[in-house]
Amino acid sequence: ALREEERAAGHPLPPPSDELLARALAEPERLVAHDPTYARGAQRLGALLRKARERLAGGGTAEEALWDLWEGTPWPERLERATRRGGAAGRNADRDLDAVCALFATAARAEERTGGRGALNFLAEIDAQDIAADTLTRRAVRPDAVRLMTAHRSKGLQWRLVVVAGVQEGLWPDLRRRGSLLEADRIGRDGLAEPLTPGALLAEERRLFYVAATRARERLVVTAVKAPADDGDQPSRFLTELGVEPKDVTGRPRRPLSVAALVAELRATTVDPRVSDALRQAAARRLARLAALADDDGRPLVPSAHPYRWWGLAEPTESKVPLRDRDQPVVLSGSALDQLANTCALQWFLGREVKADAPATTAQGFGNVVHVLADEVASGHTPADLAVLMERLETVWNALAFDAPWKSAQEKEHARVALERFLHWHVLERAGRTPVASEHDFDVTLGAGDYQVRIRGSMDRVEADREGRAYVVDFKTGKQAPTGAEVARHPQLAVYQLAVREGAVDDAFDGQRPEPGGAELVQLRQGAAKRDGGDSLPKVQSQEPLEGEWVGELLATAAGKVLEERFTPTAGQHCTHCAFRASCSARPEGRHVVE
């Protein structure tokens, strides 16, 4: 309430005295004799608290009293306005509203308890929670249970037996710099404190280890791993300070130490031909008992124990319907040709045919926006003016989902630079070429070896050079660019030139069939070299007019893979951003799934 008065007054108000606050809680009407500048906020707060107290005294619930407090402040309207405005402030307001809803839900649950102490139960639960939890009661610590906690949380507690696990060099002591990205932990009463020196960090870690070790009243067990190689995991230097000789324990544990490991061992035993039938049957019975375990809602506690969740038990499926009709041309695009012939046929099949690829990313949305604005400039619908393009960009930018406000601002600046480079490139002479089409769709069918291939797509820009040939431009907004050798055999640019040869741009040349005059990639995110004009211009990578039959051979190879359904994986740099790595036989992480 005082903060709301500060906003209305336009300047900070002095903090109220303890006497004012006491009167506000007891009899807020007595504050009318005081200066309103000081007393108005405390008076409103006191009136709200008295209303809530009267509600509870009259038999009201904690939820109803909470609602009185919520309605009595301007906070709901302020959150609603911020939510409607959107942006970063709107997202913060959404989170605040979610938190308030969770608070009301906790208050409602307090009334479900027995004893008629709903409001007191509600306050006790909120006071006891470090992190709000969706539980009806606070979990009590069973006396026969193992307590798992950090060394910091163990201060002041003791047990008969304490196990300090994972006391490894590099982890304990951990001599890395403490604190967050902005180092807020260094802020003190006297300003910024100096960061801890390595010696001070070591002393702090030694004190923490002492705290952990002295929690044991009768027995202390400290564990660490020692690798055979000197550059592997090694025990902490603190072990030598315990005053006892460490005992080496070799070999694997006699029993699995986790449910997942137990299920894995039992499953392996059931299909191991080297063990006896009795042992396999015993393992199967244990798995059946684990699979039958369920919680109070009927959900399985160990779902991986059931054979329905095992890989490799069923025979491989085989479709009776071919992927593509052999009597029809194979439909491909420039990007599909690149994937099938040069990158990974399995990635193309899973992404394009099965349509199991991840949804469009923010980077793709960035590229779509820039492409649309470039098309508007080329077609004359929008003037070639950076300010106008940025205004158009602002109208759609909030529709792109970014992980954080700073990321949105960063990408918007990258978009501004990309558009500025595009405008500089747009007004260049470019060897006398003139634009004749923008975002030009094409659909042509041609022969490639033993196959008929139908290639479809869209050319970002088609230009006519001095000799009347067609020159294709493809705008790129990615962060990586191909090498010069890769551009010379770039499948997408080659497909564009091949489409020109087959009549894809005849309508843009008054019905005449132009010869392909080359193609180029315009990298809008990357600046040109100094000799090519500097950073204000985009990096341009050109492909010469087509020579030889290499493009037709690529098309025939790709069409053969599609019709013969040979989608074998190929590992490479493209695996880094592949959505199917976890189930790909060419990757270590996916091999155990499919093999």
Side-chain angles (χ1 to χ4, degrees):
L2 287 172
R3 281 196 288 270
E4 291 302 321
E5 296 301 328
E6 286 180 355
R7 292 189 181 94
H11 56 81
L13 296 176
S17 65
D18 292 341
E19 179 187 0
L20 277 178
L21 289 178
R23 291 182 182 181
L25 296 175
E27 301 176 75
E29 62 275 1
R30 291 180 59 185
L31 294 172
V32 296
H34 291 266
D35 186 346
T37 303
Y38 296 91
R40 187 184 297 113
Q43 189 175 17
R44 289 176 56 191
L45 175 62
L48 271 179
L49 294 176
R50 184 170 66 178
K51 184 178 181 180
R53 184 168 60 246
E54 292 172 350
R55 171 79 70 179
L56 294 173
T61 66
E63 188 178 13
E64 291 171 341
L66 191 61
W67 185 260
D68 289 336
L69 295 173
W70 168 253
E71 276 195 319
T73 71
W75 197 27
E77 291 80 7
R78 192 169 74 249
L79 288 179
E80 182 179 359
R81 289 194 302 269
T83 301
R84 293 182 183 277
R85 284 197 300 267
R91 289 192 291 271
N92 289 334
D94 287 336
R95 286 191 286 269
D96 287 344
L97 285 170
D98 290 340
V100 171
C101 290
L103 184 64
F104 274 103
T106 304
R109 286 200 303 268
E111 298 305 321
E112 300 172 6
R113 315 248 171 89
T114 59
R117 298 175 66 252
L120 294 178
N121 279 337
F122 167 64
L123 293 175
E125 179 174 349
I126 295 298
D127 183 59
Q129 286 182 351
D130 294 326
I131 300 176
D134 189 20
T135 56
L136 292 177
T137 58
R138 194 182 184 194
R139 292 194 179 110
V141 177
R142 300 202 315 268
D144 58 343
V146 175
R147 296 191 64 179
L148 183 65
M149 64 181 64
T150 64
H152 292 91
R153 294 292 300 273
S154 69
K155 290 181 179 178
L157 303 175
Q158 278 195 322
W159 297 268
R160 291 176 55 251
L161 169 65
V162 170
V163 178
V164 185
V167 185
Q168 306 291 143
E169 188 68 25
L171 297 178
W172 209 336
D174 183 359
L175 301 181
R176 293 173 299 179
R177 289 276 303 275
R178 301 291 194 267
S180 61
L181 176 66
L182 302 181
E183 300 187 358
D185 57 304
R186 292 178 54 197
I187 302 176
R189 297 180 62 182
D190 301 324
L192 284 179
E194 290 296 323
L196 292 176
T197 64
L201 282 175
L202 179 61
E204 182 181 332
E205 290 284 285
R206 181 176 281 107
R207 287 192 294 269
L208 188 60
F209 182 71
Y210 174 81
V211 168
T214 54
R215 299 308 92 200
R217 290 196 301 266
E218 298 179 10
R219 187 183 178 198
L220 171 67
V221 177
V222 181
T223 67
V225 175
K226 183 177 182 180
D230 293 338
D231 57 349
D233 291 330
Q234 297 297 325
S236 168
R237 69 189 77 173
F238 291 160
L239 289 183
T240 61
E241 301 175 8
L242 289 175
V244 295
E245 186 69 23
K247 182 187 298 184
D248 288 339
V249 179
T250 59
R252 297 180 59 187
R254 291 178 298 173
R255 291 287 183 269
L257 300 181
S258 67
V259 174
L262 174 62
V263 171
E265 183 175 306
L266 292 174
R267 283 168 54 172
T269 303
T270 59
V271 296
D272 190 349
R274 296 169 297 179
V275 302
S276 65
D277 291 341
L279 185 57
R280 285 201 296 269
Q281 292 175 7
R285 285 194 295 270
R286 294 278 182 98
L287 283 170
R289 291 174 58 187
L290 290 172
L293 296 176
D295 61 13
D296 295 337
D297 297 325
R299 291 188 295 264
L301 293 175
V302 192
S304 59
H306 200 289
Y308 288 165
R309 301 292 297 270
W310 298 5
W311 291 93
L313 289 184
E315 292 296 324
T317 57
E318 183 176 346
S319 175
K320 299 183 181 302
V321 179
L323 182 66
R324 297 287 179 88
D325 189 348
R326 285 184 170 270
D327 297 330
Q328 299 293 326
V330 180
V331 180
L332 294 174
S333 64
S335 57
L337 174 62
D338 189 18
Q339 275 191 304
L340 284 166
N342 296 334
T343 308
C344 180
L346 180 62
Q347 187 183 56
W348 174 86
F349 172 72
L350 294 175
R352 301 294 183 91
E353 292 296 314
V354 181
K355 302 191 184 307
D357 210 344
T361 63
T362 305
Q364 290 170 313
F366 176 103
N368 292 337
V369 170
V370 173
H371 274 78
V372 169
L373 294 177
D375 177 45
E376 290 185 359
V377 172
S379 59
H381 292 95
T382 300
D385 183 273
L386 183 61
V388 176
L389 291 180
M390 291 304 296
E391 287 182 9
R392 294 277 290 117
L393 184 71
E394 288 285 352
T395 61
V396 298
W397 191 258
N398 286 336
L400 301 180
F402 291 94
D403 294 335
W406 66 265
K407 186 65 176 177
S408 174
Q410 182 187 64
E411 287 297 287
K412 186 186 292 186
E413 175 60 19
H414 290 166
R416 186 196 66 77
V417 173
L419 290 172
E420 189 173 19
R421 287 181 180 140
F422 163 75
L423 291 176
H424 288 162
W425 174 89
H426 176 72
V427 300
L428 288 176
E429 286 295 330
R430 297 197 302 281
R433 301 197 309 263
T434 57
V436 296
S438 177
E439 293 295 333
H440 183 77
D441 296 329
F442 65 91
D443 187 341
V444 297
T445 302
L446 55 121
D450 298 331
Y451 309 102
Q452 287 290 307
V453 180
R454 181 183 176 190
I455 52 177
R456 298 187 301 185
S458 178
M459 303 174 185
D460 290 343
R461 181 177 290 199
V462 182
E463 299 179 337
D465 64 12
R466 290 194 180 100
E467 301 174 21
R469 299 179 301 177
Y471 194 90
V472 183
V473 177
D474 191 40
F475 297 120
K476 295 296 185 184
T477 56
K479 298 178 182 179
Q480 303 294 329
T483 64
E486 291 170 339
V487 172
R489 292 283 181 121
H490 196 276
Q492 193 167 7
L493 294 182
V495 163
Y496 291 155
Q497 295 204 63
L498 197 58
V500 169
R501 185 185 293 173
E502 297 296 325
V505 297
D506 289 1
D507 54 342
F509 284 78
D510 299 326
Q512 301 297 317
R513 178 70 54 87
E515 286 293 323
E520 69 183 23
L521 300 175
V522 179
Q523 305 286 351
L524 297 177
R525 269 191 187 256
Q526 303 180 40
K530 191 172 182 180
R531 66 177 183 274
D532 297 325
D535 193 63
S536 62
L537 289 172
K539 181 178 182 178
V540 176
Q541 299 176 292
S542 302
Q543 184 183 76
E544 294 297 320
L546 288 180
E547 292 183 0
E549 300 297 327
W550 64 272
V551 187
E553 294 172 358
L554 277 182
L555 284 172
T557 299
K561 288 183 178 180
V562 173
L563 291 180
E564 297 170 17
E565 302 184 9
R566 293 183 284 107
F567 304 116
T568 54
T570 305
Q573 291 184 347
H574 53 273
C575 295
T576 306
H577 304 290
C578 181
F580 314 111
R581 286 183 301 170
S583 58
C584 176
S585 61
R587 301 287 304 179
E589 59 265 40
R591 195 169 294 127
H592 71 282
V593 173
V594 296
E595 295 183 356

